Amino acid sequence: MKISTKGRYALEAVLDLAVYSEVELESLNNISERLQISKNYLEQLFSVLRKKEIVASVRGAQGGYKLARSSKQITAGEVIRAVEGPLSPVSCIDEGKCNNTGEYKECVTRLLWQKMMDEINRAADGVTINDLVQSYGKMKKKDAIEYFI
Amino acid sequence: MKISTKGRYGLRAMIDLALYSNGTHVSLFSIAQRQGISGIYLEQVFATLRKAGLVKSVKGAQGGYLLCESPKDIKIGQILRSLEGDLSVIDENESQKAEDSLISACVKENVWDKINENINLLVDKVTLEDLIIEQKKLNEGSIPMFYI
């Protein structure tokens, strides 16, 4: 049961963008270089993120990306779901019907999977991009001190 | 992000076994029939469950399987981990390449680890007995009161 590279890279890229676009727009080239993710792949992810109004782009020579909203108003869950779709551990709960021979309404495992999805969303929606930026700032500071020592 | 067929079928089979065993063993064939799962596939699933110490087999013409412990002592987490491996949403091997990146470390600590924690807390809280109680309610047509 895994979240694909799409979800992982999207979240890392949005965090990176949030950190580096506070003053000026940021280019995908820079994000790509820092995160070691191909620019092509980032372009695909950002095109989805733009449609979901998580990031916004400005065209032109001085163009680039920034967050579409305040980092406090974007949750990690929103970013992951934008590229991964619903975070359901089984497909039957997205479709609302049993893919096997069973009766969906009478299936108890469906209730467990539903509950699992709720728990996944609860964890992912409990963290905003701003929380990640703050945490990243602290980690960077600590990293710098350790390096100095 | 999905639980595999093995995990899904295995859990259903364990619930079926608990519902129909009444202290004695149940034939794999009857579980397969009730659940609409291929018997050959279910044999593989039960081989894994047996190795994990969750079910025992009774050999012979009237043979079958029974639970090693009472349903109230079997956590759903034990069943799922035996069939799926760890329930982490991130492939640890894959993420190792970027371990030196602070961005990945930050996302891991604040998001992936939290999701994993919630999943594991849930499956280690719910027992096989809880699901059986809910299944019986569903069979009676009453509204499920999933209290977990």
Side-chain angles (χ1 to χ4, degrees), chain B residues 53-56 66-74 78 128:
Chain B
L54 293 165
V55 300
K56 304 187 265 226
L66 71 164
L67 297 174
C68 286
E69 284 176 79
S70 152
K72 71 174 191 318
D73 296 322
I74 300 176
Q78 288 174 272
L128 192 54

Side-chain angles (χ1 to χ4, degrees), chain A residues 119-139:
Chain A
E119 287 299 324
I120 294 167
N121 283 326
R122 202 162 61 89
D125 288 330
V127 184
T128 66
I129 299 305
N130 184 54
D131 295 333
L132 291 177
V133 171
Q134 300 300 325
S135 166
Y136 175 76
K138 275 184 206 149
M139 287 169 91

Side-chain angles (χ1 to χ4, degrees), chain A:
Chain A
M1 191 185 63
K2 303 288 173 226
I3 286 178
S4 75
T5 49
K6 264 199 280 185
R8 290 170 36 204
Y9 288 170
L11 191 52
E12 289 181 14
V14 168
L15 169 57
D16 188 82
L17 176 68
V19 169
Y20 287 93
S21 67
E22 274 176 357
V23 188
E24 289 179 321
L25 298 169
E26 182 58 316
S27 75
L28 284 189
N29 273 333
N30 290 346
I31 301 175
S32 159
E33 226 163 85
R34 277 192 300 267
L35 298 181
Q36 298 289 302
I37 301 170
S38 93
K39 197 186 164 208
N40 234 327
Y41 196 19
L42 273 184
E43 266 167 7
Q44 288 173 37
L45 293 175
F46 272 65
S47 135
V48 179
L49 294 170
R50 201 160 46 80
K51 279 185 201 132
K52 303 269 178 177
E53 293 177 346
I54 292 168
V55 301
S57 67
V58 176
R59 282 166 196 261
Q62 300 299 312
Y65 280 93
K66 58 176 183 169
L67 294 182
R69 281 171 270 154
S70 147
S71 62
K72 286 181 185 162
Q73 288 168 347
I74 304 170
T75 69
E78 206 183 330
V79 176
I80 307 165
R81 284 189 302 270
V83 294
E84 293 270 328
L87 300 177
S88 46
V90 294
S91 56
C92 65
I93 56 176
D94 297 333
E95 294 153 20
K97 66 177 179 63
C98 186
N99 297 323
N100 204 269
T101 51
E103 192 59 54
Y104 182 71
K105 278 191 205 146
E106 286 165 16
C107 179
V108 73
T109 57
R110 148 188 84 92
L111 295 178
L112 179 81
W113 304 134
Q114 181 70 54
K115 191 83 196 167
M116 192 182 278
M117 179 158 108
D118 293 345
E119 287 299 324
I120 294 167
N121 283 326
R122 202 162 61 89
D125 288 330
V127 184
T128 66
I129 299 305
N130 184 54
D131 295 333
L132 291 177
V133 171
Q134 300 300 325
S135 166
Y136 175 76
K138 275 184 206 149
M139 287 169 91
K140 198 162 183 183
K141 224 175 182 176
K142 190 166 166 273
D143 205 44
I145 292 167
E146 272 167 16
Y147 181 77
F148 186 72
I149 291 166

Side-chain angles (χ1 to χ4, degrees), chain A residues 1-3 5 8-9 12 87-90 100 105-106 108-109 115-116 119-120 123 127 132 135, chain B residues 1-3 8-9 12 35-36 88-90 94 97 104 106 110 112 118 122 131 134-135 138 148:
Chain A
M1 191 185 63
K2 303 288 173 226
I3 286 178
T5 49
R8 290 170 36 204
Y9 288 170
E12 289 181 14
L87 300 177
S88 46
V90 294
N100 204 269
K105 278 191 205 146
E106 286 165 16
V108 73
T109 57
K115 191 83 196 167
M116 192 182 278
E119 287 299 324
I120 294 167
V127 184
L132 291 177
S135 166
Chain B
M1 194 199 56
K2 301 285 177 239
I3 295 270
R8 287 188 286 122
Y9 287 1
R12 278 170 47 198
Q35 296 299 323
S88 161
V89 289
I90 290 297
E94 218 180 308
K97 68 172 170 27
S104 326
C106 175
N110 290 287
W112 310 134
N118 275 17
L122 170 72
L131 292 187
E134 294 302 321
Q135 182 68 73
L138 287 170
I148 51 166

Side-chain angles (χ1 to χ4, degrees), chain B residues 62-94:
Chain B
Q62 300 297 313
Y65 282 92
L66 71 164
L67 297 174
C68 286
E69 284 176 79
S70 152
K72 71 174 191 318
D73 296 322
I74 300 176
K75 301 264 194 292
I76 299 308
Q78 288 174 272
I79 301 171
L80 291 179
R81 278 189 283 265
S82 80
L83 298 162
E84 297 282 306
D86 78 77
L87 299 174
S88 161
V89 289
I90 290 297
D91 194 333
E92 296 290 343
N93 299 327
E94 218 180 308

Side-chain angles (χ1 to χ4, degrees), chain B residues 10-119:
Chain B
L11 182 58
R12 278 170 47 198
M14 286 291 278
I15 294 166
D16 186 285
L17 177 59
L19 273 171
Y20 289 92
S21 64
N22 289 322
T24 169
H25 58 271
V26 176
S27 80
L28 202 93
F29 177 74
S30 68
I31 300 174
Q33 253 192 342
R34 276 189 298 267
Q35 296 299 323
I37 302 169
S38 117
I40 294 162
Y41 189 67
L42 210 53
E43 262 174 47
Q44 294 172 25
V45 172
F46 270 83
T48 308
L49 293 169
R50 196 164 52 82
K51 276 187 210 131
L54 293 165
V55 300
K56 304 187 265 226
S57 65
V58 177
K59 301 219 162 141
Q62 300 297 313
Y65 282 92
L66 71 164
L67 297 174
C68 286
E69 284 176 79
S70 152
K72 71 174 191 318
D73 296 322
I74 300 176
K75 301 264 194 292
I76 299 308
Q78 288 174 272
I79 301 171
L80 291 179
R81 278 189 283 265
S82 80
L83 298 162
E84 297 282 306
D86 78 77
L87 299 174
S88 161
V89 289
I90 290 297
D91 194 333
E92 296 290 343
N93 299 327
E94 218 180 308
S95 56
Q96 259 170 11
K97 68 172 170 27
E99 212 178 9
D100 52 339
S101 146
L102 268 187
I103 291 271
S104 326
C106 175
V107 169
K108 181 181 183 294
E109 191 181 304
N110 290 287
V111 183
W112 310 134
D113 288 354
K114 296 251 167 74
I115 294 178
N116 289 339
E117 197 183 306
N118 275 17
I119 292 173

